Amino acid sequence: MLAPRFGLLSIRCLSARQLVYSEYGDPAKVVKLQTIELPDNPPPGHVHVRWLAAPINPADLNTLQGVYPIKPPLPAVAGNEGYGRIVKLVYSEYGDPAKVVKLQTIELPDNPPPGHVHVRWLAAPINPADLNTLQGVYPIKPPLPAVAGNEGYGRIVKVGNGVKNVRVGDHVLPAKAGLGIWRTDGHHKEADVFPIDNTLPLEASATLQVNPPTAYRMLKDFVDLKPGDTVIQNGANSAVGKAVIQICRIRGYNSVNIVRKRDNLTELVNELKGLGANEVITDEQLVKEYRGKIKDARLALNCVGGKSTLMLAATLGFRGCMVTYGGMSKMPLQIPTGPLIFKDIRLAGFWMSRWYEDASHVEERKKMYAELGGWIKAGEFRSPSFEKRRLEDHSVALEAAGVQFDKKQLFIL
Amino acid sequence: MLAPRFGLLSIRCLSARQLVYSEYGDPAKVVKLQTIELPDNPPPGHVHVRWLAAPINPADLNTLQGVYPIKPPLPAVAGNEGYGRIVKLVYSEYGDPAKVVKLQTIELPDNPPPGHVHVRWLAAPINPADLNTLQGVYPIKPPLPAVAGNEGYGRIVKVGNGVKNVRVGDHVLPAKAGLGIWRTDGHHKEADVFPIDNTLPLEASATLQVNPPTAYRMLKDFVDLKPGDTVIQNGANSAVGKAVIQICRIRGYNSVNIVRKRDNLTELVNELKGLGANEVITDEQLVKEYRGKIKDARLALNCVGGKSTLMLAATLGFRGCMVTYGGMSKMPLQIPTGPLIFKDIRLAGFWMSRWYEDASHVEERKKMYAELGGWIKAGEFRSPSFEKRRLEDHSVALEAAGVQFDKKQLFIL
């Protein structure tokens, strides 16, 4: 991918920066940083390249000194070597995520087709659902070969004819899962992207689609919670769990957070309490010293299954509801019969992807993003911490995502 | 309880029969059977006695022959000895149902207090909930000592002042569980009884309150079923299970009925198919030859729990619902995580008693009894078969109810 080139542009979307020189001389002095605006569309026959890295070679110094045989007309952009890319991570078969994904360089036509937009994707996290998709065990199965990645955000850099609802410069999420976000650029149907507030920080934008909304909806759509009501959850240190804790704090719900016993428990308890958790207890404590003490929870959130749900169900009050959104123990839920019949508790599942697929949710989706965005910008809602990765490091990143649960992997595209 | 008496009346509620004689002579010839009507209320100072048994003694023959010193004015009702009763089964402590229940003879005032009715209770089944109540493990706990029995029917024989909505002669059920039906007679608040069609057979009336309505409501209140839809249930040979089979047949739903493997399986399969079951399979068959074949059930009814629900949940289609109304295995339900999240299945519980407690259900209750009654009278809906017992045989009956599941125990009061 390395090639000698003239005039390397270093752009970030539409606002590009470049090093230019207007006269020959001391390289340390003649080069100036310049910020330019690029037109929406490159001229016919040209492609828009996002240059990523460039070495300083002796030939560059000689060029700047005017002693090199190649002399571009001045003023000129400096630099002869480097690489840029339009790449994507594709998979053609299901299997070990660290192995089935390949980096592929592609060319895109200059302009997106009518009704399509060119999105410069900017950042994308690796979620458990992505790993499951690559393993072929997730219900969303795009036709293979497919571009991997269900979540992320990008900026619209070009719009095709007839595009009405988004504009160049808009930040967008995929409208629903399965679009394939682990790529630098893509032409997508207008309806396949969903605009968001473009003043949000990168981490927040990249993870606005799955975890905070999962927490948000589970706290809103199943039980009519009032301030002071108790919400109990297991797997409280998951990304969704931390979002639940923060939204509970913001809305005034009492959150009881179950975590597994571990070596660095105090540290975790402090972290979760720092986010606003009212109580953080281990599943062991819930069975022993807390047994029978929590009995009026109105909502229980489950991403673990197995025996954990037996305890969780016992804490629910009359007409309480347990919502399952994950099954980390890989064991079936265990639910006591009595509370189902006599306390009229009920169980439901929640899948963010399905919620997005319902066309009737568009307005509510905007409202939700606006509320979450407001909290994020006000500093009331923190995004998780990330290990940032380049697409080129996909194997390492995917391997880490499968084993390292406390720090999420984020592709910077 | 045996006492010499004159003029034994053998009445059944308001229409009473008695043996009378108008002249002395050959006992086999002078005695005639007479049916009389009794006024609603016995005269002041009198009690209404339901005479139950009377021996023929030599003194009776002598009386009829006119050679006995006691000579009632003729015409007279024959018979000098026998017993009648107003009794109830009470319990003062929780424990083994066959042991904690005692038969108690009581006196009732002549007239029920204002707003009350005198109900002559006629028949009452022994349900699992009754056993659990006596064991103290049921959520309904009347203050002790209490009259046992949650279900049954009776006839109103007297009404107090101000009673508006029921009349003498009406057949009634208890309005809700916990009233204490295992008694011959009781004065109850008008609101504590609920009138039913008084042309229904005894068995149907006595069991109209719990099992058929449980089946009826579970098939109506959770999923909007259409003819051809599949309903799957475990414990299909329970009383509710058989009601489910019949209502499915009447409404055109496809019923898949899971039973445990047993010696007389063919007999049971034939019985359930005779009621209208579309399929009757064992839980073993469901795991093996039927695995993956039933996947579009819209409603699953569970009275077993444990592993059975793991299989049941796997048969549910998108947005299918599992309703739990019992837990015969005494094991927690096991529910797979995947269908909750990806097929949006949900779980609920159903408790007939709670449904009755909701005052907004009165009209729907009338409608339901009318529909069930119509099916019963048209011969489309069969009541379970019963072992009939007298209240005096309560220990034997309660013991049998705890072990003998294929034949229900029914008190004839």
Side-chain angles (χ1 to χ4, degrees), chain A residues 138-139 310 318-319 324-327 331-335 337 340-342 344-351 354, chain B residues 138-139 310 318-319 324-327 331-335 337 340-342 344-351 354:
Chain A
Y138 202 64
L310 203 55
F318 184 65
R319 298 224 161 123
T324 291
Y325 67 97
M331 298 293 288
L333 285 75
Q334 289 191 30
I335 302 296
T337 300
L340 273 168
I341 301 179
F342 302 123
D344 206 17
I345 70 164
R346 63 204 159 86
L347 270 75
F350 184 73
W351 190 23
R354 192 181 44 240
Chain B
Y138 202 65
L310 203 55
F318 184 65
R319 298 224 161 122
T324 291
Y325 67 97
M331 299 292 288
L333 285 75
Q334 288 191 30
I335 302 296
T337 300
L340 273 168
I341 301 179
F342 302 122
D344 206 16
I345 71 165
R346 63 204 159 88
L347 270 75
F350 184 73
W351 190 23
R354 192 181 44 241

Short mmCIF file of all heavy atoms in Angstrom, two decimals, chain A residues 138-139 310 318-319 324-327 331-335 337 340-342 344-351 354, chain B residues 138-139 310 318-319 324-327 331-335 337 340-342 344-351 354:
data_model
loop_
_atom_site.label_atom_id
_atom_site.label_comp_id
_atom_site.label_asym_id
_atom_site.label_seq_id
_atom_site.Cartn_x
_atom_site.Cartn_y
_atom_site.Cartn_z
N TYR A 138 -25.55 -15.38 15.47
CA TYR A 138 -26.43 -14.24 15.73
C TYR A 138 -27.58 -14.29 14.74
O TYR A 138 -27.39 -14.72 13.60
CB TYR A 138 -25.64 -12.94 15.56
CG TYR A 138 -26.24 -11.76 16.28
CD1 TYR A 138 -26.33 -11.73 17.66
CD2 TYR A 138 -26.71 -10.65 15.57
CE1 TYR A 138 -26.87 -10.64 18.33
CE2 TYR A 138 -27.25 -9.55 16.23
CZ TYR A 138 -27.33 -9.56 17.60
OH TYR A 138 -27.87 -8.47 18.25
N PRO A 139 -28.77 -13.88 15.16
CA PRO A 139 -29.91 -14.01 14.24
C PRO A 139 -29.81 -13.13 12.99
O PRO A 139 -30.47 -13.40 12.01
CB PRO A 139 -31.11 -13.57 15.09
CG PRO A 139 -30.63 -13.53 16.49
CD PRO A 139 -29.15 -13.36 16.47
N LEU A 310 -33.01 -16.65 39.35
CA LEU A 310 -33.82 -17.19 40.44
C LEU A 310 -33.84 -16.17 41.58
O LEU A 310 -34.88 -15.87 42.17
CB LEU A 310 -33.18 -18.50 40.91
CG LEU A 310 -34.01 -19.54 41.63
CD1 LEU A 310 -35.24 -19.94 40.83
CD2 LEU A 310 -33.17 -20.79 41.89
N PHE A 318 -45.04 -7.04 43.39
CA PHE A 318 -46.26 -7.36 42.65
C PHE A 318 -46.23 -6.69 41.27
O PHE A 318 -45.99 -5.51 41.15
CB PHE A 318 -47.48 -6.88 43.44
CG PHE A 318 -48.79 -7.24 42.80
CD1 PHE A 318 -49.16 -8.56 42.66
CD2 PHE A 318 -49.64 -6.25 42.34
CE1 PHE A 318 -50.37 -8.90 42.07
CE2 PHE A 318 -50.86 -6.57 41.74
CZ PHE A 318 -51.22 -7.91 41.61
N ARG A 319 -46.50 -7.52 40.25
CA ARG A 319 -46.50 -7.07 38.85
C ARG A 319 -45.15 -6.51 38.40
O ARG A 319 -45.08 -5.70 37.47
CB ARG A 319 -47.62 -6.07 38.58
CG ARG A 319 -48.98 -6.69 38.81
CD ARG A 319 -50.01 -6.37 37.75
NE ARG A 319 -51.08 -7.37 37.84
CZ ARG A 319 -52.37 -7.09 38.02
NH1 ARG A 319 -52.79 -5.86 38.09
NH2 ARG A 319 -53.26 -8.07 38.10
N THR A 324 -34.84 -9.57 29.94
CA THR A 324 -33.59 -10.25 29.61
C THR A 324 -33.02 -9.68 28.32
O THR A 324 -33.73 -9.57 27.32
CB THR A 324 -33.86 -11.77 29.44
OG1 THR A 324 -34.17 -12.31 30.72
CG2 THR A 324 -32.63 -12.48 28.87
N TYR A 325 -31.74 -9.28 28.38
CA TYR A 325 -31.11 -8.75 27.16
C TYR A 325 -29.79 -9.42 26.87
O TYR A 325 -29.10 -9.07 25.91
CB TYR A 325 -30.94 -7.23 27.27
CG TYR A 325 -29.94 -6.78 28.32
CD1 TYR A 325 -28.63 -6.47 27.97
CD2 TYR A 325 -30.30 -6.68 29.65
CE1 TYR A 325 -27.71 -6.06 28.92
CE2 TYR A 325 -29.39 -6.28 30.61
CZ TYR A 325 -28.10 -5.97 30.24
OH TYR A 325 -27.19 -5.58 31.19
N GLY A 326 -29.42 -10.41 27.68
CA GLY A 326 -28.18 -11.14 27.43
C GLY A 326 -28.17 -12.42 28.24
O GLY A 326 -29.04 -12.63 29.10
N GLY A 327 -27.20 -13.29 27.95
CA GLY A 327 -27.14 -14.57 28.66
C GLY A 327 -25.71 -14.99 28.88
O GLY A 327 -25.28 -16.04 28.42
N MET A 331 -26.39 -20.24 30.47
CA MET A 331 -27.32 -21.19 31.09
C MET A 331 -28.74 -20.64 30.94
O MET A 331 -28.93 -19.42 30.92
CB MET A 331 -27.02 -21.32 32.58
CG MET A 331 -25.64 -21.88 32.90
SD MET A 331 -25.46 -23.59 32.39
CE MET A 331 -26.49 -24.39 33.63
N PRO A 332 -29.73 -21.53 30.86
CA PRO A 332 -31.11 -21.04 30.79
C PRO A 332 -31.47 -20.26 32.05
O PRO A 332 -30.91 -20.51 33.12
CB PRO A 332 -31.97 -22.31 30.73
CG PRO A 332 -31.04 -23.44 30.55
CD PRO A 332 -29.66 -22.99 30.90
N LEU A 333 -32.38 -19.33 31.93
CA LEU A 333 -32.90 -18.64 33.10
C LEU A 333 -33.58 -19.65 34.01
O LEU A 333 -34.20 -20.60 33.52
CB LEU A 333 -33.96 -17.60 32.70
CG LEU A 333 -33.52 -16.30 32.07
CD1 LEU A 333 -33.12 -16.52 30.62
CD2 LEU A 333 -34.65 -15.28 32.13
N GLN A 334 -33.49 -19.44 35.31
CA GLN A 334 -34.28 -20.22 36.26
C GLN A 334 -35.25 -19.27 36.94
O GLN A 334 -34.84 -18.28 37.54
CB GLN A 334 -33.38 -20.88 37.30
CG GLN A 334 -32.55 -22.02 36.73
CD GLN A 334 -31.87 -22.82 37.82
OE1 GLN A 334 -32.37 -22.92 38.94
NE2 GLN A 334 -30.73 -23.37 37.51
N ILE A 335 -36.52 -19.58 36.81
CA ILE A 335 -37.55 -18.67 37.32
C ILE A 335 -38.47 -19.43 38.26
O ILE A 335 -39.04 -20.45 37.89
CB ILE A 335 -38.38 -18.11 36.14
CG1 ILE A 335 -37.47 -17.39 35.15
CG2 ILE A 335 -39.49 -17.19 36.65
CD1 ILE A 335 -36.77 -16.17 35.71
N THR A 337 -41.75 -20.54 40.22
CA THR A 337 -43.15 -20.55 39.79
C THR A 337 -44.02 -19.57 40.59
O THR A 337 -44.84 -18.85 40.02
CB THR A 337 -43.72 -21.97 39.94
OG1 THR A 337 -42.94 -22.86 39.13
CG2 THR A 337 -45.17 -22.04 39.50
N LEU A 340 -44.48 -15.89 39.56
CA LEU A 340 -45.21 -15.76 38.29
C LEU A 340 -46.72 -15.79 38.55
O LEU A 340 -47.47 -14.97 38.03
CB LEU A 340 -44.86 -16.92 37.35
CG LEU A 340 -43.63 -16.73 36.45
CD1 LEU A 340 -43.24 -18.05 35.81
CD2 LEU A 340 -43.90 -15.69 35.37
N ILE A 341 -47.15 -16.76 39.36
CA ILE A 341 -48.59 -16.93 39.57
C ILE A 341 -49.13 -15.93 40.59
O ILE A 341 -50.11 -15.24 40.34
CB ILE A 341 -48.89 -18.37 40.05
CG1 ILE A 341 -48.40 -19.39 39.00
CG2 ILE A 341 -50.39 -18.55 40.32
CD1 ILE A 341 -48.62 -20.83 39.38
N PHE A 342 -48.46 -15.84 41.73
CA PHE A 342 -49.08 -15.11 42.84
C PHE A 342 -48.69 -13.64 42.90
O PHE A 342 -49.41 -12.83 43.46
CB PHE A 342 -48.76 -15.81 44.16
CG PHE A 342 -49.23 -17.24 44.18
CD1 PHE A 342 -48.36 -18.29 44.41
CD2 PHE A 342 -50.57 -17.53 43.91
CE1 PHE A 342 -48.80 -19.60 44.40
CE2 PHE A 342 -51.02 -18.85 43.90
CZ PHE A 342 -50.13 -19.88 44.14
N ASP A 344 -47.77 -12.14 40.00
CA ASP A 344 -48.05 -11.67 38.64
C ASP A 344 -46.83 -11.02 37.99
O ASP A 344 -46.98 -10.07 37.23
CB ASP A 344 -49.23 -10.70 38.64
CG ASP A 344 -49.95 -10.69 37.29
OD1 ASP A 344 -49.74 -11.63 36.51
OD2 ASP A 344 -50.71 -9.75 37.02
N ILE A 345 -45.64 -11.52 38.33
CA ILE A 345 -44.47 -10.97 37.65
C ILE A 345 -44.50 -11.46 36.21
O ILE A 345 -45.17 -12.43 35.87
CB ILE A 345 -43.14 -11.38 38.32
CG1 ILE A 345 -42.83 -12.87 38.11
CG2 ILE A 345 -43.13 -11.02 39.79
CD1 ILE A 345 -41.38 -13.23 38.41
N ARG A 346 -43.81 -10.74 35.34
CA ARG A 346 -43.75 -11.20 33.96
C ARG A 346 -42.33 -11.08 33.45
O ARG A 346 -41.50 -10.37 34.03
CB ARG A 346 -44.74 -10.42 33.10
CG ARG A 346 -44.46 -8.97 32.99
CD ARG A 346 -45.73 -8.17 32.66
NE ARG A 346 -45.51 -6.81 33.05
CZ ARG A 346 -44.92 -5.89 32.27
NH1 ARG A 346 -44.57 -6.19 31.03
NH2 ARG A 346 -44.70 -4.67 32.71
N LEU A 347 -42.06 -11.79 32.39
CA LEU A 347 -40.73 -11.80 31.81
C LEU A 347 -40.82 -11.41 30.35
O LEU A 347 -41.72 -11.87 29.63
CB LEU A 347 -40.11 -13.20 31.88
CG LEU A 347 -39.31 -13.54 33.13
CD1 LEU A 347 -40.25 -13.78 34.29
CD2 LEU A 347 -38.45 -14.76 32.88
N ALA A 348 -39.88 -10.61 29.94
CA ALA A 348 -39.82 -10.23 28.54
C ALA A 348 -38.36 -10.21 28.13
O ALA A 348 -37.46 -10.33 28.97
CB ALA A 348 -40.45 -8.85 28.34
N GLY A 349 -38.13 -10.10 26.84
CA GLY A 349 -36.77 -9.95 26.35
C GLY A 349 -36.66 -8.61 25.66
O GLY A 349 -37.67 -8.01 25.29
N PHE A 350 -35.44 -8.11 25.53
CA PHE A 350 -35.27 -6.87 24.78
C PHE A 350 -34.10 -7.00 23.82
O PHE A 350 -33.03 -7.47 24.18
CB PHE A 350 -35.05 -5.67 25.70
CG PHE A 350 -34.97 -4.39 24.92
CD1 PHE A 350 -36.11 -3.86 24.36
CD2 PHE A 350 -33.75 -3.77 24.68
CE1 PHE A 350 -36.06 -2.70 23.58
CE2 PHE A 350 -33.68 -2.62 23.91
CZ PHE A 350 -34.84 -2.08 23.35
N TRP A 351 -34.35 -6.57 22.59
CA TRP A 351 -33.33 -6.60 21.56
C TRP A 351 -33.37 -5.27 20.84
O TRP A 351 -34.34 -4.97 20.15
CB TRP A 351 -33.60 -7.76 20.60
CG TRP A 351 -32.48 -8.02 19.64
CD1 TRP A 351 -31.16 -7.71 19.78
CD2 TRP A 351 -32.60 -8.70 18.38
NE1 TRP A 351 -30.45 -8.14 18.70
CE2 TRP A 351 -31.30 -8.75 17.83
CE3 TRP A 351 -33.66 -9.27 17.68
CZ2 TRP A 351 -31.04 -9.35 16.59
CZ3 TRP A 351 -33.40 -9.85 16.46
CH2 TRP A 351 -32.10 -9.90 15.92
N ARG A 354 -34.21 -5.09 17.09
CA ARG A 354 -35.60 -5.23 16.65
C ARG A 354 -36.36 -3.94 16.88
O ARG A 354 -37.20 -3.54 16.07
CB ARG A 354 -36.28 -6.38 17.39
CG ARG A 354 -37.60 -6.75 16.77
CD ARG A 354 -38.29 -7.88 17.53
NE ARG A 354 -38.19 -7.65 18.94
CZ ARG A 354 -37.60 -8.46 19.79
NH1 ARG A 354 -37.09 -9.59 19.37
NH2 ARG A 354 -37.52 -8.17 21.06
N TYR B 138 -50.37 -21.42 50.77
CA TYR B 138 -51.08 -20.71 49.70
C TYR B 138 -51.17 -19.24 50.08
O TYR B 138 -51.28 -18.92 51.26
CB TYR B 138 -52.49 -21.31 49.55
CG TYR B 138 -53.13 -21.06 48.21
CD1 TYR B 138 -52.59 -21.60 47.06
CD2 TYR B 138 -54.28 -20.28 48.11
CE1 TYR B 138 -53.18 -21.38 45.83
CE2 TYR B 138 -54.88 -20.06 46.87
CZ TYR B 138 -54.32 -20.61 45.74
OH TYR B 138 -54.91 -20.39 44.52
N PRO B 139 -51.10 -18.35 49.10
CA PRO B 139 -51.08 -16.92 49.45
C PRO B 139 -52.38 -16.44 50.09
O PRO B 139 -52.38 -15.41 50.75
CB PRO B 139 -50.87 -16.22 48.11
CG PRO B 139 -50.48 -17.27 47.14
CD PRO B 139 -50.96 -18.58 47.66
N LEU B 310 -38.21 -25.57 29.30
CA LEU B 310 -37.12 -25.36 28.34
C LEU B 310 -37.58 -25.82 26.96
O LEU B 310 -37.38 -25.15 25.95
CB LEU B 310 -35.91 -26.17 28.82
CG LEU B 310 -34.51 -25.78 28.38
CD1 LEU B 310 -34.20 -24.35 28.72
CD2 LEU B 310 -33.48 -26.70 29.04
N PHE B 318 -42.47 -16.38 17.00
CA PHE B 318 -42.20 -14.97 17.27
C PHE B 318 -43.34 -14.35 18.09
O PHE B 318 -44.50 -14.48 17.74
CB PHE B 318 -42.04 -14.22 15.94
CG PHE B 318 -41.68 -12.77 16.10
CD1 PHE B 318 -40.46 -12.42 16.67
CD2 PHE B 318 -42.55 -11.78 15.70
CE1 PHE B 318 -40.12 -11.08 16.82
CE2 PHE B 318 -42.22 -10.43 15.85
CZ PHE B 318 -41.00 -10.09 16.41
N ARG B 319 -42.95 -13.69 19.18
CA ARG B 319 -43.89 -13.04 20.10
C ARG B 319 -44.87 -14.02 20.73
O ARG B 319 -45.97 -13.64 21.15
CB ARG B 319 -44.64 -11.88 19.42
CG ARG B 319 -43.68 -10.79 18.98
CD ARG B 319 -44.14 -9.38 19.29
NE ARG B 319 -42.98 -8.50 19.25
CZ ARG B 319 -42.86 -7.42 18.46
NH1 ARG B 319 -43.84 -7.05 17.69
NH2 ARG B 319 -41.77 -6.69 18.50
N THR B 324 -47.79 -19.48 32.92
CA THR B 324 -47.60 -20.46 33.98
C THR B 324 -48.75 -20.38 34.98
O THR B 324 -49.08 -19.30 35.45
CB THR B 324 -46.25 -20.19 34.70
OG1 THR B 324 -45.19 -20.51 33.80
CG2 THR B 324 -46.11 -21.04 35.95
N TYR B 325 -49.36 -21.54 35.25
CA TYR B 325 -50.46 -21.53 36.24
C TYR B 325 -50.27 -22.61 37.30
O TYR B 325 -51.12 -22.77 38.17
CB TYR B 325 -51.81 -21.69 35.53
CG TYR B 325 -52.03 -23.04 34.88
CD1 TYR B 325 -52.74 -24.04 35.53
CD2 TYR B 325 -51.51 -23.32 33.62
CE1 TYR B 325 -52.94 -25.29 34.94
CE2 TYR B 325 -51.70 -24.55 33.02
CZ TYR B 325 -52.42 -25.52 33.68
OH TYR B 325 -52.61 -26.75 33.10
N GLY B 326 -49.16 -23.33 37.23
CA GLY B 326 -48.88 -24.34 38.24
C GLY B 326 -47.43 -24.75 38.17
O GLY B 326 -46.72 -24.38 37.23
N GLY B 327 -46.99 -25.51 39.18
CA GLY B 327 -45.59 -25.92 39.21
C GLY B 327 -45.45 -27.31 39.78
O GLY B 327 -44.79 -27.52 40.79
N MET B 331 -39.99 -27.58 40.61
CA MET B 331 -38.69 -27.05 40.17
C MET B 331 -38.92 -25.71 39.50
O MET B 331 -39.96 -25.49 38.89
CB MET B 331 -38.05 -28.00 39.16
CG MET B 331 -37.76 -29.39 39.70
SD MET B 331 -36.46 -29.37 40.95
CE MET B 331 -35.03 -29.03 39.91
N PRO B 332 -37.93 -24.80 39.58
CA PRO B 332 -38.08 -23.52 38.87
C PRO B 332 -38.20 -23.75 37.36
O PRO B 332 -37.69 -24.74 36.84
CB PRO B 332 -36.77 -22.78 39.16
CG PRO B 332 -36.05 -23.55 40.19
CD PRO B 332 -36.62 -24.92 40.24
N LEU B 333 -38.87 -22.85 36.69
CA LEU B 333 -38.91 -22.90 35.23
C LEU B 333 -37.49 -22.73 34.70
O LEU B 333 -36.70 -21.99 35.27
CB LEU B 333 -39.75 -21.75 34.67
CG LEU B 333 -41.26 -21.80 34.77
CD1 LEU B 333 -41.71 -21.51 36.19
CD2 LEU B 333 -41.88 -20.80 33.81
N GLN B 334 -37.20 -23.41 33.60
CA GLN B 334 -35.95 -23.15 32.88
C GLN B 334 -36.32 -22.56 31.52
O GLN B 334 -37.05 -23.16 30.75
CB GLN B 334 -35.16 -24.44 32.69
CG GLN B 334 -34.56 -24.95 33.99
CD GLN B 334 -33.57 -26.07 33.75
OE1 GLN B 334 -32.92 -26.12 32.71
NE2 GLN B 334 -33.47 -26.97 34.70
N ILE B 335 -35.79 -21.37 31.27
CA ILE B 335 -36.17 -20.65 30.05
C ILE B 335 -34.92 -20.29 29.27
O ILE B 335 -34.02 -19.63 29.81
CB ILE B 335 -36.94 -19.37 30.41
CG1 ILE B 335 -38.19 -19.71 31.25
CG2 ILE B 335 -37.32 -18.59 29.16
CD1 ILE B 335 -39.21 -20.54 30.52
N THR B 337 -32.42 -18.28 26.93
CA THR B 337 -32.26 -16.84 26.73
C THR B 337 -32.62 -16.40 25.31
O THR B 337 -33.30 -15.39 25.11
CB THR B 337 -30.80 -16.44 27.03
OG1 THR B 337 -30.51 -16.80 28.38
CG2 THR B 337 -30.58 -14.95 26.85
N LEU B 340 -36.20 -15.41 24.29
CA LEU B 340 -36.64 -14.18 24.96
C LEU B 340 -36.18 -12.96 24.18
O LEU B 340 -36.94 -12.03 23.95
CB LEU B 340 -36.07 -14.12 26.38
CG LEU B 340 -36.86 -14.80 27.50
CD1 LEU B 340 -36.02 -14.90 28.76
CD2 LEU B 340 -38.15 -14.03 27.79
N ILE B 341 -34.90 -12.97 23.81
CA ILE B 341 -34.33 -11.79 23.15
C ILE B 341 -34.71 -11.74 21.67
O ILE B 341 -35.19 -10.73 21.18
CB ILE B 341 -32.79 -11.78 23.30
CG1 ILE B 341 -32.41 -11.78 24.79
CG2 ILE B 341 -32.19 -10.57 22.58
CD1 ILE B 341 -30.92 -11.80 25.05
N PHE B 342 -34.49 -12.85 20.98
CA PHE B 342 -34.57 -12.78 19.51
C PHE B 342 -35.95 -13.11 18.95
O PHE B 342 -36.28 -12.70 17.85
CB PHE B 342 -33.50 -13.67 18.89
CG PHE B 342 -32.11 -13.30 19.34
CD1 PHE B 342 -31.28 -14.22 19.96
CD2 PHE B 342 -31.65 -12.00 19.16
CE1 PHE B 342 -30.01 -13.86 20.38
CE2 PHE B 342 -30.38 -11.63 19.58
CZ PHE B 342 -29.56 -12.56 20.20
N ASP B 344 -38.63 -12.57 20.96
CA ASP B 344 -39.51 -11.69 21.74
C ASP B 344 -40.62 -12.47 22.43
O ASP B 344 -41.74 -11.96 22.56
CB ASP B 344 -40.11 -10.61 20.83
CG ASP B 344 -40.48 -9.36 21.63
OD1 ASP B 344 -40.01 -9.22 22.77
OD2 ASP B 344 -41.26 -8.53 21.12
N ILE B 345 -40.32 -13.69 22.85
CA ILE B 345 -41.34 -14.41 23.61
C ILE B 345 -41.47 -13.75 24.97
O ILE B 345 -40.57 -13.03 25.42
CB ILE B 345 -41.02 -15.92 23.78
CG1 ILE B 345 -39.85 -16.14 24.74
CG2 ILE B 345 -40.77 -16.57 22.43
CD1 ILE B 345 -39.74 -17.58 25.22
N ARG B 346 -42.61 -13.95 25.61
CA ARG B 346 -42.75 -13.39 26.94
C ARG B 346 -43.38 -14.43 27.86
O ARG B 346 -43.98 -15.40 27.39
CB ARG B 346 -43.56 -12.09 26.90
CG ARG B 346 -44.95 -12.26 26.45
CD ARG B 346 -45.52 -10.95 25.87
NE ARG B 346 -46.63 -11.29 25.02
CZ ARG B 346 -47.89 -11.42 25.45
NH1 ARG B 346 -48.18 -11.19 26.71
NH2 ARG B 346 -48.85 -11.78 24.64
N LEU B 347 -43.21 -14.21 29.14
CA LEU B 347 -43.73 -15.14 30.13
C LEU B 347 -44.63 -14.38 31.08
O LEU B 347 -44.30 -13.27 31.51
CB LEU B 347 -42.60 -15.76 30.95
CG LEU B 347 -41.98 -17.05 30.41
CD1 LEU B 347 -41.10 -16.73 29.23
CD2 LEU B 347 -41.20 -17.74 31.51
N ALA B 348 -45.73 -15.02 31.42
CA ALA B 348 -46.62 -14.43 32.39
C ALA B 348 -47.13 -15.55 33.29
O ALA B 348 -46.90 -16.73 33.03
CB ALA B 348 -47.78 -13.74 31.68
N GLY B 349 -47.79 -15.17 34.36
CA GLY B 349 -48.42 -16.15 35.22
C GLY B 349 -49.92 -15.91 35.20
O GLY B 349 -50.36 -14.81 34.83
N PHE B 350 -50.68 -16.93 35.56
CA PHE B 350 -52.12 -16.70 35.67
C PHE B 350 -52.64 -17.31 36.96
O PHE B 350 -52.33 -18.45 37.29
CB PHE B 350 -52.88 -17.28 34.47
CG PHE B 350 -54.35 -16.95 34.56
CD1 PHE B 350 -54.78 -15.66 34.32
CD2 PHE B 350 -55.28 -17.91 34.95
CE1 PHE B 350 -56.13 -15.32 34.45
CE2 PHE B 350 -56.63 -17.58 35.07
CZ PHE B 350 -57.05 -16.29 34.82
N TRP B 351 -53.45 -16.52 37.64
CA TRP B 351 -54.06 -16.97 38.89
C TRP B 351 -55.52 -16.56 38.85
O TRP B 351 -55.85 -15.39 38.90
CB TRP B 351 -53.35 -16.32 40.08
CG TRP B 351 -53.74 -16.89 41.40
CD1 TRP B 351 -54.28 -18.13 41.67
CD2 TRP B 351 -53.60 -16.24 42.67
NE1 TRP B 351 -54.47 -18.28 43.01
CE2 TRP B 351 -54.07 -17.15 43.65
CE3 TRP B 351 -53.13 -15.00 43.07
CZ2 TRP B 351 -54.08 -16.84 45.01
CZ3 TRP B 351 -53.13 -14.69 44.43
CH2 TRP B 351 -53.60 -15.60 45.38
N ARG B 354 -56.98 -14.13 41.46
CA ARG B 354 -56.71 -12.70 41.33
C ARG B 354 -57.60 -12.07 40.27
O ARG B 354 -58.07 -10.95 40.41
CB ARG B 354 -55.23 -12.46 41.00
CG ARG B 354 -54.84 -11.00 41.14
CD ARG B 354 -53.39 -10.76 40.78
NE ARG B 354 -53.06 -11.47 39.57
CZ ARG B 354 -52.13 -12.41 39.50
NH1 ARG B 354 -51.41 -12.72 40.53
NH2 ARG B 354 -51.92 -13.04 38.36
#
